[in-house]
Amino acid sequence: MQTDMNAPLLARRGSDTSELLARHLGGPVIGIIGSGDFSRSLAIRLLAGGFRVVVGSRDPNRVPSGLFPEGVELRSQREAVDSADRVVFAALYPEHYDTLVGLREQLAGKVLVDVSNATRLNSGERSNAERLAELFPKSRVVKGFNVVSAWALQAGAHDGSRQVLICGDCSDSKAAVQQLARRLGFSPVDLGGLCASRDIEEAPLLLFPSWGGPLLACFTLFLFFYGYNFVRQILLPYLDKEKNNFYQLPLLTVNETLPAVALVTLAAVYLPGLVAAVFQLGRGTKYKRFPDWLDHWLCCRKQLGLLSFLCAVLHAVYSMCLALRKGAGQAVQNAANGQVTIDQVEAGVENSWAEQQVWRSDLYLSCGILGLGVLSLLAVTSLPSVGNALNWREFTFVQSGLGYAALTLSIMHTLFFGWDFAFSPASYPYHLAPVYLLALILPCIVLVGRLFLALPCLMSRLAKIRRGWESARHRPPAEGSPPGICGDA
């Protein structure tokens, strides 16, 4: 009995052209209708995969010489279809499908792979593949390879997780296209019948579909904290005392906004996990679905974490720029005075050493550096190539254990920054609190909630629920058991 590896990839159909090519190259013949960029890239990849390729053009004489590599036969569309053993790629725009009607008989019984994409989202119209299947009822239309770019075809599937989405109504035809995709180094994914072709055709048009909500949330937080800083530090002083602080807008105000956004966004990564645990404890089961908003929030945690890391990195860069700007300004002042700073001269201070301030600044900087380092580790392990190398326990330790460590270090970084400012009346101009105090509210709630759920009584019950245990109200008692008693699952 032949194994899948020993079985021929594609069924052979006799034709004079196929026999000539078989003697010359020795592999199955794949036909491609169309001579554009995608057709050329596909031909290069098929040729490298050991297939014989025949490209069909409406006018082969108009195709420049050297456009296709040596070994690719460039012929008319009819000759390309006749030469193909079983699989023919339709690599042309959907508006030209009608020009192929004259090839119905030649395409009968062959696998016709549609590689086209939709032109707009949610059009409500039939997919290109369904139109092609209607035009060629005797052919077996399979949707596939449209999510792979021409560059990826030429370069080869260096990424082992490169997926090719495939759908079709004939299982044998889909199997042939799937095996072909594997031979080319890609990972085929069967999405069912041809009715799924609309979703596959719209897939290349989606722009970061899982990033919309996290980006909107992060941008909203940025606008809120930036606007709050603008009103508190720039607008109200200008209206009240005509003090011009507008120079702070491009650098200082942004640098005060970014850490607040990073801290709140990082807290938003771990808050839905706590809310889900509360739901499970309250329900006494894990088999009830979470609300849609919570389900969506749980699925966006990776994106929120990466956005938090981005804001933290930008905050570090802005802080270094501010330090350089202040240092340069101080050097200019010292050069002008020829000695210590102007402030020290006016105050009559010879030694500006303040141990308390040094401790505060050193602890503040140390926690910030450590927090950014742990966040960097979280960002790296979120990459598929790195995360796939970790087992589940390692991944959970990094993303959960070290994640809470990063959150704790970030909170300490903020607290050390304002440990004395928070108690000074001067920190509340116009009765408005500093922005870092507002940014601490949600992270502190998350940290306290995590500590609360770590209590042995709650932690043990939650562990039992997640292992399948249910409270008595969710299933009938075992036969012979008194009412209200339910054993562990």
Side-chain angles (χ1 to χ4, degrees), residues 178-483:
Q178 288 171 354
Q179 196 173 359
L180 187 150
R182 292 189 190 98
R183 282 274 297 270
L184 298 183
F186 296 99
S187 301
V189 179
D190 188 353
L191 295 186
L194 207 59
C195 58
S197 57
R198 167 57 61 183
D199 294 332
I200 297 179
E201 290 174 2
E202 292 181 351
L205 301 182
L206 299 175
L207 183 63
F208 301 111
S210 60
W211 286 82
L215 282 172
L216 179 61
C218 192
F219 183 69
T220 303
L221 285 172
F222 184 87
L223 287 180
F224 169 75
F225 286 117
Y226 190 86
Y228 184 86
N229 273 326
F230 171 74
V231 171
R232 180 178 178 271
Q233 298 180 357
I234 298 175
L235 182 61
L236 291 179
Y238 179 78
L239 296 176
D240 184 28
K241 303 176 182 178
E242 295 186 356
K243 186 176 181 180
N244 187 357
N245 292 330
F246 286 92
Y247 70 91
Q248 299 178 2
L249 284 174
L251 195 63
L252 187 61
T253 306
V254 173
N255 191 44
E256 292 181 357
T257 302
L258 286 171
V261 176
L263 190 55
V264 175
T265 307
L266 183 60
V269 174
Y270 297 99
L271 181 58
L274 300 181
V275 175
V278 171
F279 268 101
Q280 291 177 336
L281 287 171
R283 293 170 171 177
T285 180
K286 71 170 185 177
Y287 296 108
K288 281 190 175 181
R289 285 184 55 85
F290 295 128
D292 290 340
W293 58 269
L294 180 57
D295 218 9
H296 182 69
W297 193 355
L298 288 167
C299 294
C300 293
R301 289 179 293 178
K302 174 182 175 180
Q303 289 80 6
L304 289 170
L306 290 174
L307 289 173
S308 174
F309 172 67
L310 173 63
C311 292
V313 170
L314 291 176
H315 169 56
V317 174
Y318 268 83
S319 297
M320 287 189 292
C321 292
L322 276 171
L324 291 174
R325 191 191 70 174
K326 290 179 180 178
Q330 195 67 59
V332 172
Q333 288 181 356
N334 291 341
N337 288 280
Q339 49 187 0
V340 295
T341 65
I342 294 177
D343 292 337
Q344 293 176 6
V345 172
E346 292 178 351
V349 178
E350 295 182 2
N351 186 1
S352 60
W353 177 269
E355 185 173 351
Q356 184 181 12
Q357 294 299 323
V358 172
W359 273 99
R360 184 177 71 89
S361 62
D362 286 0
L363 290 173
Y364 153 72
L365 291 173
S366 180
C367 289
I369 293 170
L370 290 174
L372 182 59
V374 177
L375 272 179
S376 303
L377 181 61
L378 293 175
V380 170
T381 54
S382 66
L383 298 174
S385 57
V386 179
N388 292 339
L390 304 176
N391 61 36
W392 176 245
R393 187 177 181 183
E394 294 168 343
F395 185 80
T396 303
F397 170 76
V398 172
Q399 294 295 325
S400 181
L402 293 184
Y404 276 103
L407 182 62
T408 303
L409 287 169
S410 301
I411 292 174
M412 293 172 62
H413 172 70
T414 308
L415 289 175
F416 284 129
F417 171 78
W419 69 3
D420 53 351
F421 299 153
F423 302 101
S424 172
S427 298
Y428 298 84
Y430 310 102
H431 306 287
L432 295 176
V435 69
Y436 65 84
L437 287 182
L438 298 182
L440 280 173
I441 296 175
L442 188 62
C444 288
I445 291 175
V446 171
L447 205 57
V448 171
R450 183 67 184 89
L451 293 174
F452 185 71
L453 287 177
L455 295 174
C457 57
L458 295 178
M459 187 169 57
S460 60
R461 181 178 175 85
L462 186 60
K464 288 171 61 178
I465 290 173
R466 289 177 174 173
R467 290 177 64 87
W469 180 88
E470 291 183 291
S471 62
R473 65 180 181 272
H474 292 293
R475 63 179 182 178
E479 190 173 331
S481 299

Side-chain angles (χ1 to χ4, degrees), residues 8-285:
L9 175 65
L10 302 169
R12 300 289 302 275
R13 297 188 62 178
S15 72
D16 295 338
T17 307
S18 296
E19 290 175 0
L20 289 174
L21 287 172
R23 287 194 296 268
H24 181 62
L25 294 175
V29 180
I30 304 292
I32 304 176
I33 302 176
S35 55
D37 293 335
F38 190 88
S39 173
R40 179 167 59 92
S41 301
L42 181 61
I44 293 173
R45 190 63 193 148
L46 287 169
L47 199 66
F51 297 97
R52 294 170 293 154
V53 183
V54 180
V55 175
S57 174
R58 285 175 294 181
D59 188 358
N61 296 324
R62 296 185 59 184
V63 179
S65 60
L67 182 64
F68 288 88
E70 185 179 354
V72 175
E73 293 285 334
L74 183 61
R75 302 190 176 183
S76 67
Q77 293 179 347
R78 185 178 297 274
E79 290 175 330
V81 172
D82 288 336
S83 301
D85 287 339
R86 187 182 180 190
V87 176
V88 177
F89 283 87
L92 67 167
Y93 289 104
E95 53 264 32
H96 302 305
Y97 284 170
D98 294 337
T99 62
L100 303 178
V101 173
L103 303 176
R104 264 192 194 134
E105 294 303 321
Q106 285 77 15
L107 287 170
K110 293 188 177 181
V111 179
L112 189 57
V113 183
D114 177 39
V115 299
S116 65
N117 293 320
T119 55
R120 56 195 176 98
L121 293 171
N122 303 319
S123 64
E125 302 174 353
R126 289 178 305 164
S127 66
N128 299 331
E130 289 172 324
R131 287 178 48 210
L132 195 64
E134 185 177 346
L135 286 173
F136 300 93
K138 296 182 181 179
S139 300
R140 292 164 176 78
V141 176
V142 175
K143 186 74 191 181
F145 283 88
N146 65 300
V147 297
V148 182
S149 66
W151 179 89
L153 284 169
Q154 287 197 41
H158 298 299
D159 182 3
S161 63
R162 176 77 66 180
Q163 294 181 341
V164 174
L165 307 182
I166 293 173
C167 72
D169 293 333
C170 176
S171 58
D172 291 339
S173 301
K174 283 195 298 183
V177 178
Q178 288 171 354
Q179 196 173 359
L180 187 150
R182 292 189 190 98
R183 282 274 297 270
L184 298 183
F186 296 99
S187 301
V189 179
D190 188 353
L191 295 186
L194 207 59
C195 58
S197 57
R198 167 57 61 183
D199 294 332
I200 297 179
E201 290 174 2
E202 292 181 351
L205 301 182
L206 299 175
L207 183 63
F208 301 111
S210 60
W211 286 82
L215 282 172
L216 179 61
C218 192
F219 183 69
T220 303
L221 285 172
F222 184 87
L223 287 180
F224 169 75
F225 286 117
Y226 190 86
Y228 184 86
N229 273 326
F230 171 74
V231 171
R232 180 178 178 271
Q233 298 180 357
I234 298 175
L235 182 61
L236 291 179
Y238 179 78
L239 296 176
D240 184 28
K241 303 176 182 178
E242 295 186 356
K243 186 176 181 180
N244 187 357
N245 292 330
F246 286 92
Y247 70 91
Q248 299 178 2
L249 284 174
L251 195 63
L252 187 61
T253 306
V254 173
N255 191 44
E256 292 181 357
T257 302
L258 286 171
V261 176
L263 190 55
V264 175
T265 307
L266 183 60
V269 174
Y270 297 99
L271 181 58
L274 300 181
V275 175
V278 171
F279 268 101
Q280 291 177 336
L281 287 171
R283 293 170 171 177
T285 180

